[in-house]
Amino acid sequence: MSLSYNELYRESIQNPEAFWAEAAERLHWYKKWDKVLDDANPPFYRWFAGGMTNTCYNALDRHVDEGRGNDTAVIYDSPVTGAKKCFTFREFRDEVALFAGALQSRGVRKGDRVIIYMPMIPEALVAMLACARIGAIHSVVFGGFASHELAVRIDDCKPKVIISASCGIEREKIVDYKRLLDFAIELAHFKPEICIIRQREQLKAPLNEERDLTWKQTLLGAEPAPCVPLESSDPLYILYTSGTTGKPKGVVRDNGGHMVALQWSMEHVYGVKPGETYWAASDVGWVVGHSYIVYAPLLNGNATIIFEGKPVGTPDPGVFWRIIEEYGVSVFFTAPTAFRAIKKEDPNASYLEKHDLSNFRTLFLAGERADPDTVKWAEEKLKVPVIDHWWQTETGWAIAANCQGIEPGPVKYGSASRPVPGYNVKVVNHEMEELKAGEMGDIVIKHPLPPGTMLTLWKADNRFTESYMSAFPGYYQTSDAGYIDEDGYVYIMSRTDDIINVAGHRLSTGAIEAELSAHPDVAESAVIGAADDLKGEVPVGFLVLKTGVDTPHGQIVKHVIEYVRENIGPVASFKKAVIVERLPKTRSGKILRSTMRRIANSQEYTMPATIDDPAILDEIKEALQSIGYAK
Ligand code: COA
Ligand code: AMP
């Protein structure tokens, strides 16, 4: 008899080792673990210590060996090029093994880092899984990041090889990935030995003969590589995410804990059975892409979809429904912003009428708060449960969700539902006192975190401890604030740091401020996240100029917008900045960003008691009104 949510949750918290050992039995191990949880060196916990496994084997070969080689594993659908292709588990395993062999023949070994900077094409997955196969550590960098961001990541993880493509396609626009890559390598202090470029017919890239190979050249004469047995805690990947400073954090994921948690989540969080088609419309450059385009569906024996398009404009707001119908998608996962984009273009969901979605069971949303209007619209139009769930790059999978494979609870709008088994979630105040139901505070997770969550930050154990494990000893600090209600439902209300969320993408206001302050005429700057109907939040900049500057203001604003686009990337969607005489600060000099945000969003605010001059807030309001905010 299956256990209730409460029973399963209790079991996971009281007896985590037995709980996760049972889940791990479903996967293949070359050698079983000596200890389920090695807790000898907190906060550096290690799951399945002493176990030997291979994530790629479990994601591909295992299904072939178990007789499912002819089932569909990967579907590529690219409305921007018109290409469509399906791969079985056997076909994909063979592609991955051959590319892995090619990497080995070029000297890539266990522990070497490989950066992958690619659009949404099958080769991106082949490259990731090939690294996993031979124990190389991949670090995928999102294509919407500019050269400077890529260079920072190259210098941090020092890749032996970078794998990229000649171009990406953003609606009608061709993005020259190779040019961005070449410039990034020029900027970086560390230089990779080899770049492997998948040439696409939309734009052929010039090659540097000393360093670059095409994808095809790389495969010439290659032999398929077998899977290399790895320690459970050997790193599978590094994924950089925004921190509060300009320097991104390299989240490190292990092999064993990650595969166990992700496979378990497919069954219990998403309620998906092997053989079904599962689709996460994200990008491999984000954690959602790592976990739910690549690893989790394949580990669970599901077909996964690589979608090279957008919710709208490729070609119309019906593309999601077309794909769900065409490939018989059972469970679909995307960000609320994608639904807001569809709702804006097709408020009556008229495109839905052309499609048969009878196979479709559940919609999952994450990446940002799912606003109740969007959830209700999706429920009404799709007539399936719409499940908000909350997680972070650091955790790699959901912290709170309405687990469809256990015992779904009622949907409460505005809540990401109850903690997922494995996560002991609490809301506390700064004195570490647990708060009562309904009281807002810091959301923290008691150690040990479940398998699949980050091991550490790449070559930065101290930063890992300081950023996440020090403020609340014995707990992981999520940097999200919110509350838990009397039914145990978690409500995520805001970040407690300077991170903003733009179209489901996580950005550091500190990194944008650094770009603004780099302008020779700018003395000081501040960036806030202002509410946006489509993207949830967009960054808005405030510039204080140096005395005596006579450059036209419009020109300065134009330049800083270009700086952010050139150095951080178009994904920041930084389009608005305004020049002010001074910034509102506390007497101790702290910029009052949250008050500025409330003014921008036309929300009530209380005059901060520590403000040095209250009149500045009127100036800020006027400045914001001049660019369409604070109405
Ligand atoms: N490579 C290169 N450039 C990229 C890119 C990529 N992979 N992804 C985005 N960009 C560029 C876009 O072309 C755009 O450039 P522009 O300023 O020249 O127009 C800019 O970055 C912003 O892109 P995006 O955030 O996608 O905004 P948009 O206005 O083009 O589309 C949405 C808006 C809502 C349709 C889009 O943001 C979306 O589909 N969001 C889904 C969110 C998601 O998948 N989140 C992942 C976490 S779950
Ligand atoms: P990322 O690491 O890019 O996945 O971003 C993680 C952050 O996005 C979280 O810390 C939250 O602030 C926010 N977030 C993600 N999912 C949700 C959700 N379902 N509800 C509210 N906020 C969310």
Side-chain angles (χ1 to χ4, degrees):
M1 200 188 77
S2 54
L3 297 177
S4 68
Y5 164 80
N6 282 332
E7 287 166 328
L8 208 61
Y9 182 74
R10 204 177 312 116
E11 179 64 17
S12 77
I13 301 301
Q14 290 177 352
N15 206 352
E17 296 199 57
F19 186 91
W20 291 111
E22 192 188 323
E25 293 290 350
R26 285 171 233 181
L27 291 152
H28 171 269
W29 298 83
Y30 299 104
K31 174 183 169 282
K32 284 273 171 68
W33 49 91
D34 301 322
K35 214 167 180 322
V36 181
L37 176 64
D38 174 0
D39 56 1
N41 184 26
F44 299 92
Y45 295 91
R46 297 291 176 259
W47 285 95
F48 309 108
M52 301 291 291
T53 188
N54 183 286
T55 299
C56 180
Y57 180 83
N58 277 290
L60 297 174
D61 306 55
R62 182 170 59 98
H63 305 301
V64 180
D65 294 349
E66 288 173 359
R68 296 197 43 226
N70 295 332
D71 289 3
T72 304
V74 175
I75 298 161
Y76 170 53
D77 190 301
S78 168
V80 293
T81 61
K84 290 182 187 181
K85 191 165 180 186
C86 289
F87 301 81
T88 63
F89 277 99
R90 179 173 294 106
E91 287 164 343
F92 215 68
R93 191 262 326 253
D94 292 348
E95 298 257 346
V96 167
L98 195 64
F99 191 68
L103 287 178
Q104 273 181 336
S105 73
R106 310 270 164 195
V108 180
R109 298 281 176 270
K110 182 185 158 194
D112 287 339
R113 275 80 58 211
V114 173
I115 280 192
I116 300 172
Y117 183 61
M118 288 184 113
M120 287 292 288
I121 54 177
E123 288 81 356
L125 272 72
V126 171
M128 291 167 78
L129 287 155
C131 289
R133 194 168 187 89
I134 59 174
I137 304 167
H138 63 70
S139 185
V140 184
V141 178
F142 177 60
F145 281 124
S147 302
H148 174 259
E149 289 292 315
L150 179 56
V152 170
R153 288 153 174 80
I154 293 173
D155 278 333
D156 198 67
C157 77
K158 304 188 173 39
K160 185 169 229 169
V161 173
I162 300 187
I163 304 170
S164 187
S166 56
C167 68
I169 299 134
E170 283 287 298
R171 298 203 178 94
E172 284 93 39
K173 194 175 62 187
I174 306 274
V175 181
D176 188 340
Y177 272 56
K178 180 64 172 30
R179 186 184 64 81
L180 293 164
L181 170 65
D182 286 345
F183 187 42
I185 295 174
E186 212 177 301
L187 292 174
H189 299 288
F190 180 87
K191 310 289 175 194
E193 286 169 27
I194 304 171
C195 292
I196 299 171
I197 309 297
R198 167 70 168 89
Q199 294 279 22
R200 303 188 78 189
E201 62 185 43
Q202 291 77 11
L203 181 71
K204 290 268 185 292
L207 299 185
N208 168 342
E209 285 193 6
E210 314 262 281
R211 189 198 66 196
D212 302 343
L213 289 171
T214 64
W215 185 275
K216 276 198 187 141
Q217 286 168 339
T218 311
L219 290 177
L220 283 177
E223 294 289 330
C227 295
V228 173
L230 301 169
E231 293 267 352
S232 173
S233 59
D234 278 337
L236 170 69
Y237 70 75
I238 306 166
L239 177 58
Y240 287 91
T241 189
S242 301
T244 46
T245 66
K247 190 171 158 45
K249 293 166 160 172
V251 166
V252 180
R253 200 86 61 205
D254 69 352
N255 274 277
H258 176 252
M259 69 176 191
V260 171
L262 289 192
Q263 194 274 328
W264 184 91
S265 75
M266 289 301 279
E267 205 177 319
H268 295 89
V269 176
Y270 299 95
V272 197
K273 289 177 206 62
E276 293 189 304
T277 304
Y278 175 95
W279 178 27
S282 178
D283 187 288
V284 287
W286 305 112
V287 69
V288 174
H290 279 64
S291 295
Y292 291 104
I293 295 175
V294 188
Y295 289 110
L298 296 176
L299 285 164
N300 198 46
N302 295 111
T304 183
I305 301 180
I306 309 171
F307 170 64
E308 191 180 23
K310 298 264 176 180
V312 294
T314 61
D316 55 45
V319 68
F320 277 6
W321 325 137
R322 196 261 297 162
I323 293 210
I324 291 174
E325 177 184 25
E326 196 166 326
Y327 304 109
V329 172
S330 306
V331 173
F332 177 43
F333 174 177
T334 190
T337 187
F339 264 76
R340 289 197 295 272
I342 297 172
K343 185 171 120 191
K344 195 167 156 210
E345 285 210 7
D346 183 21
N348 298 321
S350 56
Y351 281 84
L352 251 179
E353 288 158 20
K354 301 179 197 144
H355 298 284
D356 169 12
L357 267 53
S358 50
N359 217 34
F360 181 40
R361 215 165 47 234
T362 327
L363 169 66
F364 278 84
L365 298 174
E368 53 170 330
R369 184 165 180 268
D371 53 288
D373 281 353
T374 303
V375 175
K376 286 179 194 166
W377 185 84
E379 278 177 344
E380 186 196 309
K381 303 298 178 203
L382 294 169
K383 303 194 169 39
V384 296
V386 177
I387 309 299
D388 177 17
H389 62 326
W390 165 59
W391 50 297
Q392 311 179 312
T393 305
E394 287 83 348
T395 64
W397 63 292
I399 310 166
N402 200 333
C403 292
Q404 296 298 292
I406 303 177
E407 181 202 14
V411 168
K412 291 198 187 193
Y413 298 111
S415 168
S417 301
R418 297 173 290 195
V420 171
Y423 289 97
N424 194 352
V425 181
K426 307 273 180 213
V427 180
V428 297
N429 61 18
H430 290 299
E431 283 71 49
M432 286 274 314
E433 291 155 347
E434 196 172 335
L435 298 177
K436 292 204 220 59
E439 284 181 359
M440 273 275 277
D442 278 277
I443 308 187
V444 296
I445 305 169
K446 193 170 188 317
H447 295 169
L449 266 65
T453 52
M454 75 176 145
L455 284 189
T456 185
L457 294 174
W458 181 250
K459 301 268 184 238
D461 283 349
N462 285 344
R463 190 176 181 200
F464 165 79
T465 314
E466 279 160 23
S467 309
Y468 300 109
M469 308 297 185
S470 299
F472 301 96
Y475 292 82
Y476 164 76
Q477 179 185 9
T478 66
S479 293
D480 278 314
Y483 61 93
I484 299 182
D485 75 7
E486 59 289 347
D487 298 321
Y489 275 58
V490 183
Y491 292 73
I492 308 300
M493 303 312 285
S494 62
R495 290 282 302 191
T496 57
D497 54 14
D498 294 329
I499 297 288
I500 58 171
N501 200 313
V502 179
H505 310 316
R506 170 169 158 181
L507 295 168
S508 150
T509 52
I512 303 175
E513 285 172 6
E515 294 304 324
L516 307 191
S517 297
H519 191 285
D521 292 338
V522 173
E524 201 180 10
S525 69
V527 170
I528 58 160
D532 183 81
D533 284 349
L534 175 64
K535 299 195 174 186
E537 271 181 319
V538 287
V540 171
F542 297 83
L543 312 168
V544 178
L545 303 185
K546 291 179 180 160
T547 35
V549 165
D550 54 10
T551 320
H553 287 187
Q555 203 172 312
I556 298 173
V557 167
K558 186 166 163 273
H559 282 155
V560 296
I561 289 173
E562 280 166 10
Y563 276 21
V564 174
R565 195 178 170 86
E566 281 299 306
N567 291 329
I568 295 183
V571 69
S573 296
F574 182 70
K575 305 231 155 81
K576 286 196 175 171
V578 65
I579 290 171
V580 292
E581 288 290 320
R582 48 202 180 142
L583 294 170
K585 291 184 184 169
T586 61
R587 278 182 217 107
S588 60
K590 196 172 174 298
I591 300 173
L592 290 161
R593 291 185 186 77
S594 64
T595 311
M596 291 158 81
R597 194 180 63 235
R598 294 192 76 84
I599 298 174
N601 297 344
S602 315
Q603 291 166 319
E604 296 276 316
Y605 64 91
T606 44
M607 183 64 69
T610 53
I611 192 165
D612 64 349
D613 179 1
I616 306 181
L617 294 185
D618 293 331
E619 294 169 24
I620 292 293
K621 186 169 180 184
E622 237 173 74
L624 279 163
Q625 282 169 338
S626 73
I627 52 167
Y629 293 99
K631 287 172 196 138

